[in-house]
Amino acid sequence: MSTFVVVGGDAAGMSAASKAKRDNPDLDVVVFERGEWVSYGACGLPYYIKGEIQSLEDLISVTPEQFREERDIDLRTGHDVVDIDPETRIVTARSSDGDVVQPYDHLLIATGSTAVTPPIDGIDREGVYTLGSMSDGKGLREYVSRARNDGNLQQPDRGPACHFLETCNGPIGIVGGGYIGVEMAEALAANDFEVHLFQRGDRILKQFSKATSETVLEHLHEQDVAVYLDTEIRELVGGESVEAIVANEERIPVEMVLVGTGVRPRTELAEAAGVELGKTGAIATDEYRETNVPDVYAAGDCAEAAHVVTGEPVYIPLALTANRHGRVIGQTVAGTPTMGGGVAGTAAVKAFDIEAARTGLLHDEALEAGFEPLTETIKAKSRAGYYPEGGTVQVTLTIDRPTGRILGGSLVSEYGEGAVHRSHALVGAVTEGNTVDELSNYDLAYAPPFNTTWDPVLTAAKVLSGKRQSPSGA
Amino acid sequence: MSTFVVVGGDAAGMSAASKAKRDNPDLDVVVFERGEWVSYGACGLPYYIKGEIQSLEDLISVTPEQFREERDIDLRTGHDVVDIDPETRIVTARSSDGDVVQPYDHLLIATGSTAVTPPIDGIDREGVYTLGSMSDGKGLREYVSRARNDGNLQQPDRGPACHFLETCNGPIGIVGGGYIGVEMAEALAANDFEVHLFQRGDRILKQFSKATSETVLEHLHEQDVAVYLDTEIRELVGGESVEAIVANEERIPVEMVLVGTGVRPRTELAEAAGVELGKTGAIATDEYRETNVPDVYAAGDCAEAAHVVTGEPVYIPLALTANRHGRVIGQTVAGTPTMGGGVAGTAAVKAFDIEAARTGLLHDEALEAGFEPLTETIKAKSRAGYYPEGGTVQVTLTIDRPTGRILGGSLVSEYGEGAVHRSHALVGAVTEGNTVDELSNYDLAYAPPFNTTWDPVLTAAKVLSGKRQSPSGA
């Protein structure tokens, strides 16, 4: 009888455990999770804090009891793995009851990531939050509820941040204009908080195209979110609790600060066991997600993966990759060696009433990877021009000029007008290395309630194809 | 100076004319259109009849004046081409002013299609309509307006057909459960008509998967559309005007009948000029859309095209293909020989409050084409399970069992929940011949407001991949 041990009970870990046990019921599967939650949908936390989801339990797709009873997985919550010994193939886990040792035949390290806290003076004051875990989410929801109870707030709505209203709560400072920053601006503004969002660089959502960033920025302005670009936070001042953000030469009073400046992989345990990290600083694996240590796998937010365009390792910690790679490790461990594919860096975000997606390499990334990128942004109607509803889809497409290969794209539209689902058309093209002319010829679905005859994705391809063929490239 | 003559001024014809002139302004471009309308969006007619679009002119993307003045195209409406002589390279067009002869260097036949009228007794009675042209649409809108004025109807709404209400207009019979039948059921029901829809076969939308057909059928029932399957119309009885449909042994009183039983290509002119038809009965072309007659091209609803999966010619007359093939003919004629790609048979339809799309070869088509199809239908939430809104996406996926190749798919969801745009993920896979495992590994966009971590398309691929690998195939 063979034993598969998993360290970390979120997306990658529980996907691997479930798949391994399902494919090979004879396998002993043991999962150590240091917290009390497993298989939690951390991506849903902003909507819980917003008040659209009533209970933290709603974010749990499968409960610990279900894993234990229905899936026959030996899940041990409250167990922090403190040592891995690859020589003896034994892990040591610490719980309130003391240490346990557990031998393994196969091991998965799925220790996830931790929120980065930038070196800002005063970041350890009370009232400064990050959003990396369920308990972070719980704390933020409690903060929002307290503030709402103190004030005279009604049910959360989707209205704009009440930047200039007397009834506002807050003000709140958000440090970082990435996914978390933008989603939390929506969540807090919907609860009538005055929101100030600070971004170090010259645009928000820097993983997306410049055009997408600008469209989202305009929308945040419309929603009365105060956005500060090119702004370095110098200090969080106050007494025990934070009272103001000092940024550039300004002092902006705040009652609470949310720091969303990205995550870093948790690799300490792996490193101590002799597992090698890659150049991204996350755990390096081969295509089967196996590390340099035999029978030790790594997946999810602690691991890097190869980019489908360049083949080079990248660190893009997102939920689908964690699930997919966890799942293939489960298959492999159960006896069917399976590769899980690379990552395309695809991501989606909702910001108030708009939605955006991106995939592949965008202009600057393509330059950096040695391509000769040609990029074009188009705007097109989201439904037939004569159709009575609809909005605008903006598509930025990047190709390699010499070969015409589709490298990446970034889309934005009103929420519900399909920027995100339309990005599905690009993922295959990016992954398979299709050319812009091949994409132009794709027979995509059309009917007036859904798009113009040429879907905006095709229009972008046509325009870029023409630009590529013109001698001036203009 | 070279002359490019186009016969037919709709999607294929005007796309070709515009592209040829733009790419080579020295070209003389002459278009003959027998009607008064050009570049009309016939796909929008149901929404015009429904009352959501106020004017027929709104369906026109570019007016005749714009083609003449802005695009410098010699567009002659009211000119019916009656002869093509490939020997002398001269076409003869007839107008109210008499005949004109026009020499050509390149010729495009884009004569479109005509609505099929099945051989039913009494089909020539008054009150029997088809929907193939702008004037058909005008007539139907006038019918709806008259009926509404005679009754005490309010503004059109999206409510159910008032099948059992006293205030109903109609009843109306729709013959044929394809796109037109379903879209017109919506358009008429929204105007408070009692709608009876007759389908000869055992399901509506037979181009879609059986699961999709069933879901749409259930929805039509919910909307109080009376649907009669396996029903052959024997006769349309009445006096001068139609008064009842005799179907099976029943006699269903109707005030109007809409016949939507498909279209056939208009090929008479081409045939008379020695242009060969393919086995589908539409004009055969090579990959450049050139017919057997040198420098004579054909595109749009009068021509067949190769299917991307089988490479075999098929007759699937849809708007995007007409536009795309017209455009590449324009490029070719302007000096840059360009192939336009095949067709995947992708189509989309809205039916009341649901949407559906299909692409590629579905189960029975795959069987017929010599594949060994394996098909699975899954249902999945359209957004994260905990997200407060959302519905259900049903995905039917068909693969070739021995190779795992994706052959086709069919999707249906509530309107706005993304079945149609999600089909974009499948078109590239079908076209490029990707396997189900490749599709499973696609890094599709994910965030809670848009899908579950595994988009329903990926879930379908996962399930099918597992089914394929299991020894029993079950």
Side-chain angles (χ1 to χ4, degrees), chain A residues 305-314 316 341-346 358-362 365-367 369-371 398-400 403 405-409 426-434, chain B residues 443:
Chain A
H307 196 285
V308 295
V309 175
T310 62
E312 292 294 313
V314 288
I316 305 176
V343 297
T346 314
R358 59 88 69 218
T359 188
L361 299 181
L362 300 182
E365 296 163 314
L367 262 181
F371 291 99
T398 296
I399 62 169
D400 180 44
T403 61
R405 178 179 179 178
I406 304 278
L407 298 176
L426 296 179
V427 175
V430 163
T431 306
E432 300 299 326
N434 293 147
Chain B
D443 189 14

mmCIF file of all heavy atoms in Angstrom, chain A residues 305-314 316 341-346 358-362 365-367 369-371 398-400 403 405-409 426-434, chain B residues 443:
data_model
loop_
_atom_site.group_PDB
_atom_site.id
_atom_site.type_symbol
_atom_site.label_atom_id
_atom_site.label_comp_id
_atom_site.label_asym_id
_atom_site.label_seq_id
_atom_site.Cartn_x
_atom_site.Cartn_y
_atom_site.Cartn_z
ATOM 1 N N ALA A 305 5.755 27.759 -13.213
ATOM 2 C CA ALA A 305 5.321 26.883 -14.304
ATOM 3 C C ALA A 305 5.790 27.500 -15.610
ATOM 4 O O ALA A 305 6.065 28.707 -15.680
ATOM 5 C CB ALA A 305 3.801 26.736 -14.300
ATOM 6 N N ALA A 306 5.870 26.692 -16.646
ATOM 7 C CA ALA A 306 6.350 27.183 -17.941
ATOM 8 C C ALA A 306 5.255 27.970 -18.637
ATOM 9 O O ALA A 306 4.091 27.579 -18.634
ATOM 10 C CB ALA A 306 6.786 26.010 -18.803
ATOM 11 N N HIS A 307 5.644 29.079 -19.248
ATOM 12 C CA HIS A 307 4.700 29.871 -20.026
ATOM 13 C C HIS A 307 4.496 29.218 -21.394
ATOM 14 O O HIS A 307 5.457 28.786 -22.025
ATOM 15 C CB HIS A 307 5.238 31.294 -20.203
ATOM 16 C CG HIS A 307 4.189 32.264 -20.649
ATOM 17 N ND1 HIS A 307 3.725 32.295 -21.944
ATOM 18 C CD2 HIS A 307 3.498 33.219 -19.969
ATOM 19 C CE1 HIS A 307 2.792 33.243 -22.032
ATOM 20 N NE2 HIS A 307 2.641 33.819 -20.858
ATOM 21 N N VAL A 308 3.252 29.162 -21.844
ATOM 22 C CA VAL A 308 2.978 28.440 -23.094
ATOM 23 C C VAL A 308 3.604 29.113 -24.315
ATOM 24 O O VAL A 308 3.822 28.457 -25.338
ATOM 25 C CB VAL A 308 1.455 28.260 -23.341
ATOM 26 C CG1 VAL A 308 0.826 27.377 -22.270
ATOM 27 C CG2 VAL A 308 0.725 29.592 -23.461
ATOM 28 N N VAL A 309 3.889 30.405 -24.237
ATOM 29 C CA VAL A 309 4.488 31.080 -25.395
ATOM 30 C C VAL A 309 6.003 30.927 -25.398
ATOM 31 O O VAL A 309 6.598 30.553 -26.408
ATOM 32 C CB VAL A 309 4.096 32.578 -25.445
ATOM 33 C CG1 VAL A 309 4.839 33.282 -26.577
ATOM 34 C CG2 VAL A 309 2.591 32.726 -25.615
ATOM 35 N N THR A 310 6.623 31.187 -24.280
ATOM 36 C CA THR A 310 8.089 31.200 -24.250
ATOM 37 C C THR A 310 8.691 29.875 -23.818
ATOM 38 O O THR A 310 9.870 29.621 -24.079
ATOM 39 C CB THR A 310 8.590 32.258 -23.247
ATOM 40 O OG1 THR A 310 8.114 31.891 -21.935
ATOM 41 C CG2 THR A 310 8.069 33.647 -23.613
ATOM 42 N N GLY A 311 7.907 29.068 -23.119
ATOM 43 C CA GLY A 311 8.461 27.851 -22.536
ATOM 44 C C GLY A 311 9.281 28.124 -21.291
ATOM 45 O O GLY A 311 9.739 27.202 -20.624
ATOM 46 N N GLU A 312 9.464 29.395 -20.954
ATOM 47 C CA GLU A 312 10.268 29.770 -19.783
ATOM 48 C C GLU A 312 9.417 29.736 -18.516
ATOM 49 O O GLU A 312 8.224 30.043 -18.563
ATOM 50 C CB GLU A 312 10.804 31.197 -19.959
ATOM 51 C CG GLU A 312 11.824 31.343 -21.066
ATOM 52 C CD GLU A 312 13.105 30.589 -20.750
ATOM 53 O OE1 GLU A 312 13.608 30.730 -19.615
ATOM 54 O OE2 GLU A 312 13.573 29.838 -21.619
ATOM 55 N N PRO A 313 10.043 29.420 -17.379
ATOM 56 C CA PRO A 313 9.272 29.425 -16.136
ATOM 57 C C PRO A 313 8.839 30.833 -15.731
ATOM 58 O O PRO A 313 9.580 31.796 -15.896
ATOM 59 C CB PRO A 313 10.245 28.836 -15.102
ATOM 60 C CG PRO A 313 11.595 28.967 -15.705
ATOM 61 C CD PRO A 313 11.422 28.950 -17.190
ATOM 62 N N VAL A 314 7.614 30.914 -15.251
ATOM 63 C CA VAL A 314 7.076 32.179 -14.749
ATOM 64 C C VAL A 314 6.383 31.893 -13.426
ATOM 65 O O VAL A 314 6.033 30.748 -13.129
ATOM 66 C CB VAL A 314 6.057 32.804 -15.740
ATOM 67 C CG1 VAL A 314 6.769 33.352 -16.981
ATOM 68 C CG2 VAL A 314 4.980 31.798 -16.152
ATOM 69 N N ILE A 316 3.078 32.890 -11.859
ATOM 70 C CA ILE A 316 1.761 33.514 -12.024
ATOM 71 C C ILE A 316 0.783 32.690 -11.195
ATOM 72 O O ILE A 316 0.153 31.758 -11.687
ATOM 73 C CB ILE A 316 1.336 33.541 -13.507
ATOM 74 C CG1 ILE A 316 2.399 34.236 -14.371
ATOM 75 C CG2 ILE A 316 -0.014 34.243 -13.659
ATOM 76 C CD1 ILE A 316 2.105 34.230 -15.870
ATOM 77 N N GLY A 341 0.249 20.817 -18.647
ATOM 78 C CA GLY A 341 0.269 22.001 -19.512
ATOM 79 C C GLY A 341 0.839 23.205 -18.797
ATOM 80 O O GLY A 341 0.913 23.243 -17.571
ATOM 81 N N GLY A 342 1.242 24.179 -19.587
ATOM 82 C CA GLY A 342 1.828 25.389 -19.020
ATOM 83 C C GLY A 342 0.764 26.404 -18.660
ATOM 84 O O GLY A 342 -0.424 26.098 -18.599
ATOM 85 N N VAL A 343 1.204 27.622 -18.429
ATOM 86 C CA VAL A 343 0.264 28.702 -18.136
ATOM 87 C C VAL A 343 0.362 29.755 -19.236
ATOM 88 O O VAL A 343 1.415 29.971 -19.820
ATOM 89 C CB VAL A 343 0.545 29.352 -16.764
ATOM 90 C CG1 VAL A 343 0.355 28.346 -15.646
ATOM 91 C CG2 VAL A 343 1.929 29.973 -16.710
ATOM 92 N N ALA A 344 -0.781 30.374 -19.501
ATOM 93 C CA ALA A 344 -0.811 31.449 -20.498
ATOM 94 C C ALA A 344 -0.897 32.808 -19.820
ATOM 95 O O ALA A 344 -0.951 33.836 -20.487
ATOM 96 C CB ALA A 344 -1.994 31.250 -21.439
ATOM 97 N N GLY A 345 -0.896 32.787 -18.496
ATOM 98 C CA GLY A 345 -1.038 34.060 -17.791
ATOM 99 C C GLY A 345 -2.403 34.688 -17.995
ATOM 100 O O GLY A 345 -2.554 35.902 -17.982
ATOM 101 N N THR A 346 -3.404 33.834 -18.164
ATOM 102 C CA THR A 346 -4.754 34.352 -18.369
ATOM 103 C C THR A 346 -5.352 34.782 -17.035
ATOM 104 O O THR A 346 -5.206 34.076 -16.034
ATOM 105 C CB THR A 346 -5.651 33.264 -18.978
ATOM 106 O OG1 THR A 346 -4.939 32.642 -20.049
ATOM 107 C CG2 THR A 346 -6.945 33.868 -19.502
ATOM 108 N N ARG A 358 -7.124 39.154 -19.681
ATOM 109 C CA ARG A 358 -5.862 39.221 -20.433
ATOM 110 C C ARG A 358 -5.304 37.818 -20.553
ATOM 111 O O ARG A 358 -5.569 36.945 -19.716
ATOM 112 C CB ARG A 358 -4.875 40.179 -19.773
ATOM 113 C CG ARG A 358 -4.481 39.858 -18.352
ATOM 114 C CD ARG A 358 -3.288 38.929 -18.244
ATOM 115 N NE ARG A 358 -2.084 39.589 -18.690
ATOM 116 C CZ ARG A 358 -1.135 38.984 -19.380
ATOM 117 N NH1 ARG A 358 -1.240 37.676 -19.655
ATOM 118 N NH2 ARG A 358 -0.062 39.620 -19.771
ATOM 119 N N THR A 359 -4.531 37.588 -21.598
ATOM 120 C CA THR A 359 -3.871 36.287 -21.759
ATOM 121 C C THR A 359 -2.594 36.459 -22.572
ATOM 122 O O THR A 359 -2.471 37.415 -23.353
ATOM 123 C CB THR A 359 -4.806 35.260 -22.430
ATOM 124 O OG1 THR A 359 -4.188 33.956 -22.386
ATOM 125 C CG2 THR A 359 -5.114 35.607 -23.883
ATOM 126 N N GLY A 360 -1.653 35.545 -22.382
ATOM 127 C CA GLY A 360 -0.434 35.541 -23.177
ATOM 128 C C GLY A 360 0.547 36.625 -22.807
ATOM 129 O O GLY A 360 0.570 37.108 -21.674
ATOM 130 N N LEU A 361 1.376 36.980 -23.804
ATOM 131 C CA LEU A 361 2.362 38.042 -23.599
ATOM 132 C C LEU A 361 1.831 39.328 -24.213
ATOM 133 O O LEU A 361 1.514 39.363 -25.404
ATOM 134 C CB LEU A 361 3.680 37.692 -24.310
ATOM 135 C CG LEU A 361 4.433 36.427 -23.876
ATOM 136 C CD1 LEU A 361 5.725 36.305 -24.693
ATOM 137 C CD2 LEU A 361 4.752 36.461 -22.379
ATOM 138 N N LEU A 362 1.766 40.380 -23.430
ATOM 139 C CA LEU A 362 1.389 41.683 -23.983
ATOM 140 C C LEU A 362 2.663 42.417 -24.434
ATOM 141 O O LEU A 362 3.755 41.861 -24.373
ATOM 142 C CB LEU A 362 0.566 42.458 -22.964
ATOM 143 C CG LEU A 362 -0.731 41.710 -22.579
ATOM 144 C CD1 LEU A 362 -1.563 42.526 -21.601
ATOM 145 C CD2 LEU A 362 -1.567 41.369 -23.813
ATOM 146 N N GLU A 365 5.982 42.623 -22.364
ATOM 147 C CA GLU A 365 6.453 41.267 -22.061
ATOM 148 C C GLU A 365 7.008 40.593 -23.313
ATOM 149 O O GLU A 365 7.987 39.849 -23.261
ATOM 150 C CB GLU A 365 5.293 40.418 -21.533
ATOM 151 C CG GLU A 365 4.716 40.899 -20.212
ATOM 152 C CD GLU A 365 3.345 40.289 -19.946
ATOM 153 O OE1 GLU A 365 2.493 40.278 -20.864
ATOM 154 O OE2 GLU A 365 3.126 39.848 -18.818
ATOM 155 N N ALA A 366 6.363 40.867 -24.443
ATOM 156 C CA ALA A 366 6.809 40.264 -25.701
ATOM 157 C C ALA A 366 8.172 40.823 -26.096
ATOM 158 O O ALA A 366 9.056 40.083 -26.544
ATOM 159 C CB ALA A 366 5.775 40.519 -26.795
ATOM 160 N N LEU A 367 8.337 42.121 -25.922
ATOM 161 C CA LEU A 367 9.633 42.750 -26.185
ATOM 162 C C LEU A 367 10.715 42.084 -25.334
ATOM 163 O O LEU A 367 11.778 41.698 -25.832
ATOM 164 C CB LEU A 367 9.580 44.221 -25.786
ATOM 165 C CG LEU A 367 9.342 45.267 -26.857
ATOM 166 C CD1 LEU A 367 9.351 46.649 -26.214
ATOM 167 C CD2 LEU A 367 10.369 45.172 -27.976
ATOM 168 N N ALA A 369 10.748 39.233 -24.037
ATOM 169 C CA ALA A 369 10.981 37.826 -24.383
ATOM 170 C C ALA A 369 11.681 37.695 -25.736
ATOM 171 O O ALA A 369 11.876 36.579 -26.220
ATOM 172 C CB ALA A 369 9.661 37.076 -24.395
ATOM 173 N N GLY A 370 12.017 38.824 -26.365
ATOM 174 C CA GLY A 370 12.776 38.755 -27.603
ATOM 175 C C GLY A 370 11.941 38.731 -28.872
ATOM 176 O O GLY A 370 12.468 38.526 -29.961
ATOM 177 N N PHE A 371 10.644 38.939 -28.741
ATOM 178 C CA PHE A 371 9.809 39.030 -29.941
ATOM 179 C C PHE A 371 9.866 40.452 -30.491
ATOM 180 O O PHE A 371 10.393 41.369 -29.859
ATOM 181 C CB PHE A 371 8.352 38.659 -29.601
ATOM 182 C CG PHE A 371 8.167 37.215 -29.279
ATOM 183 C CD1 PHE A 371 8.114 36.780 -27.948
ATOM 184 C CD2 PHE A 371 8.057 36.272 -30.294
ATOM 185 C CE1 PHE A 371 7.939 35.444 -27.638
ATOM 186 C CE2 PHE A 371 7.882 34.922 -29.988
ATOM 187 C CZ PHE A 371 7.836 34.510 -28.662
ATOM 188 N N THR A 398 -1.665 41.608 -29.409
ATOM 189 C CA THR A 398 -0.230 41.711 -29.681
ATOM 190 C C THR A 398 0.220 40.495 -30.480
ATOM 191 O O THR A 398 -0.087 39.366 -30.106
ATOM 192 C CB THR A 398 0.580 41.794 -28.365
ATOM 193 O OG1 THR A 398 0.234 43.002 -27.685
ATOM 194 C CG2 THR A 398 2.080 41.774 -28.621
ATOM 195 N N ILE A 399 0.914 40.762 -31.601
ATOM 196 C CA ILE A 399 1.465 39.664 -32.394
ATOM 197 C C ILE A 399 2.965 39.864 -32.564
ATOM 198 O O ILE A 399 3.501 40.940 -32.279
ATOM 199 C CB ILE A 399 0.822 39.590 -33.810
ATOM 200 C CG1 ILE A 399 1.099 40.872 -34.616
ATOM 201 C CG2 ILE A 399 -0.673 39.331 -33.704
ATOM 202 C CD1 ILE A 399 0.726 40.768 -36.089
ATOM 203 N N ASP A 400 3.604 38.817 -33.024
ATOM 204 C CA ASP A 400 5.012 38.911 -33.410
ATOM 205 C C ASP A 400 5.032 39.311 -34.881
ATOM 206 O O ASP A 400 4.517 38.586 -35.739
ATOM 207 C CB ASP A 400 5.675 37.546 -33.203
ATOM 208 C CG ASP A 400 7.139 37.556 -33.589
ATOM 209 O OD1 ASP A 400 7.841 38.525 -33.218
ATOM 210 O OD2 ASP A 400 7.586 36.609 -34.257
ATOM 211 N N THR A 403 6.524 36.793 -37.779
ATOM 212 C CA THR A 403 5.824 35.522 -37.999
ATOM 213 C C THR A 403 4.309 35.663 -37.999
ATOM 214 O O THR A 403 3.600 34.775 -38.460
ATOM 215 C CB THR A 403 6.178 34.515 -36.880
ATOM 216 O OG1 THR A 403 5.754 35.082 -35.627
ATOM 217 C CG2 THR A 403 7.669 34.237 -36.830
ATOM 218 N N ARG A 405 2.546 35.545 -35.413
ATOM 219 C CA ARG A 405 2.036 34.731 -34.304
ATOM 220 C C ARG A 405 1.303 35.590 -33.266
ATOM 221 O O ARG A 405 1.774 36.658 -32.885
ATOM 222 C CB ARG A 405 3.218 34.016 -33.633
ATOM 223 C CG ARG A 405 2.796 33.196 -32.450
ATOM 224 C CD ARG A 405 3.962 32.471 -31.791
ATOM 225 N NE ARG A 405 3.448 31.721 -30.639
ATOM 226 C CZ ARG A 405 4.177 30.953 -29.870
ATOM 227 N NH1 ARG A 405 5.475 30.802 -30.115
ATOM 228 N NH2 ARG A 405 3.637 30.316 -28.850
ATOM 229 N N ILE A 406 0.147 35.086 -32.806
ATOM 230 C CA ILE A 406 -0.591 35.750 -31.732
ATOM 231 C C ILE A 406 0.164 35.539 -30.428
ATOM 232 O O ILE A 406 0.374 34.390 -30.013
ATOM 233 C CB ILE A 406 -2.004 35.145 -31.557
ATOM 234 C CG1 ILE A 406 -2.802 35.180 -32.850
ATOM 235 C CG2 ILE A 406 -2.751 35.817 -30.395
ATOM 236 C CD1 ILE A 406 -3.452 36.466 -33.159
ATOM 237 N N LEU A 407 0.566 36.614 -29.775
ATOM 238 C CA LEU A 407 1.292 36.485 -28.515
ATOM 239 C C LEU A 407 0.403 36.701 -27.301
ATOM 240 O O LEU A 407 0.589 36.064 -26.267
ATOM 241 C CB LEU A 407 2.461 37.478 -28.490
ATOM 242 C CG LEU A 407 3.518 37.257 -29.578
ATOM 243 C CD1 LEU A 407 4.570 38.360 -29.519
ATOM 244 C CD2 LEU A 407 4.164 35.888 -29.448
ATOM 245 N N GLY A 408 -0.542 37.617 -27.423
ATOM 246 C CA GLY A 408 -1.401 37.868 -26.268
ATOM 247 C C GLY A 408 -2.462 38.896 -26.554
ATOM 248 O O GLY A 408 -2.480 39.521 -27.627
ATOM 249 N N GLY A 409 -3.363 39.048 -25.603
ATOM 250 C CA GLY A 409 -4.436 40.017 -25.764
ATOM 251 C C GLY A 409 -4.994 40.458 -24.430
ATOM 252 O O GLY A 409 -4.799 39.798 -23.405
ATOM 253 N N LEU A 426 -8.885 33.681 -27.545
ATOM 254 C CA LEU A 426 -7.451 33.950 -27.701
ATOM 255 C C LEU A 426 -6.566 32.911 -27.025
ATOM 256 O O LEU A 426 -5.419 32.733 -27.417
ATOM 257 C CB LEU A 426 -7.116 35.332 -27.126
ATOM 258 C CG LEU A 426 -7.764 36.520 -27.837
ATOM 259 C CD1 LEU A 426 -7.361 37.817 -27.155
ATOM 260 C CD2 LEU A 426 -7.349 36.540 -29.306
ATOM 261 N N VAL A 427 -7.090 32.237 -26.014
ATOM 262 C CA VAL A 427 -6.234 31.343 -25.227
ATOM 263 C C VAL A 427 -5.699 30.202 -26.093
ATOM 264 O O VAL A 427 -4.509 29.894 -26.066
ATOM 265 C CB VAL A 427 -6.987 30.805 -23.989
ATOM 266 C CG1 VAL A 427 -6.140 29.785 -23.249
ATOM 267 C CG2 VAL A 427 -7.353 31.960 -23.063
ATOM 268 N N GLY A 428 -6.589 29.590 -26.880
ATOM 269 C CA GLY A 428 -6.143 28.528 -27.775
ATOM 270 C C GLY A 428 -5.140 29.048 -28.797
ATOM 271 O O GLY A 428 -4.114 28.405 -29.058
ATOM 272 N N ALA A 429 -5.432 30.212 -29.353
ATOM 273 C CA ALA A 429 -4.551 30.790 -30.377
ATOM 274 C C ALA A 429 -3.163 31.062 -29.799
ATOM 275 O O ALA A 429 -2.138 30.785 -30.437
ATOM 276 C CB ALA A 429 -5.169 32.075 -30.933
ATOM 277 N N VAL A 430 -3.130 31.602 -28.584
ATOM 278 C CA VAL A 430 -1.853 31.878 -27.922
ATOM 279 C C VAL A 430 -1.125 30.568 -27.626
ATOM 280 O O VAL A 430 0.069 30.427 -27.871
ATOM 281 C CB VAL A 430 -2.098 32.674 -26.607
ATOM 282 C CG1 VAL A 430 -0.883 32.610 -25.691
ATOM 283 C CG2 VAL A 430 -2.479 34.114 -26.923
ATOM 284 N N THR A 431 -1.856 29.590 -27.121
ATOM 285 C CA THR A 431 -1.249 28.322 -26.713
ATOM 286 C C THR A 431 -0.722 27.538 -27.906
ATOM 287 O O THR A 431 0.346 26.948 -27.859
ATOM 288 C CB THR A 431 -2.292 27.469 -25.950
ATOM 289 O OG1 THR A 431 -2.828 28.257 -24.879
ATOM 290 C CG2 THR A 431 -1.667 26.207 -25.386
ATOM 291 N N GLU A 432 -1.503 27.530 -28.986
ATOM 292 C CA GLU A 432 -1.134 26.732 -30.152
ATOM 293 C C GLU A 432 -0.214 27.482 -31.104
ATOM 294 O O GLU A 432 0.196 26.931 -32.128
ATOM 295 C CB GLU A 432 -2.392 26.283 -30.902
ATOM 296 C CG GLU A 432 -3.351 25.439 -30.069
ATOM 297 C CD GLU A 432 -2.712 24.148 -29.582
ATOM 298 O OE1 GLU A 432 -1.878 23.583 -30.297
ATOM 299 O OE2 GLU A 432 -3.047 23.733 -28.451
ATOM 300 N N GLY A 433 0.057 28.755 -30.819
ATOM 301 C CA GLY A 433 0.945 29.507 -31.701
ATOM 302 C C GLY A 433 0.309 29.852 -33.038
ATOM 303 O O GLY A 433 0.996 29.935 -34.055
ATOM 304 N N ASN A 434 -0.995 30.056 -33.042
ATOM 305 C CA ASN A 434 -1.667 30.433 -34.289
ATOM 306 C C ASN A 434 -1.254 31.829 -34.742
ATOM 307 O O ASN A 434 -0.902 32.677 -33.932
ATOM 308 C CB ASN A 434 -3.191 30.428 -34.104
ATOM 309 C CG ASN A 434 -3.737 29.039 -33.860
ATOM 310 O OD1 ASN A 434 -4.704 28.879 -33.146
ATOM 311 N ND2 ASN A 434 -3.098 28.024 -34.431
ATOM 312 N N ASP B 443 -5.561 27.455 -20.419
ATOM 313 C CA ASP B 443 -5.543 28.357 -19.276
ATOM 314 C C ASP B 443 -6.594 29.447 -19.504
ATOM 315 O O ASP B 443 -6.277 30.599 -19.763
ATOM 316 C CB ASP B 443 -4.123 28.943 -19.176
ATOM 317 C CG ASP B 443 -3.889 29.733 -17.905
ATOM 318 O OD1 ASP B 443 -4.706 29.628 -16.974
ATOM 319 O OD2 ASP B 443 -2.875 30.466 -17.864
#
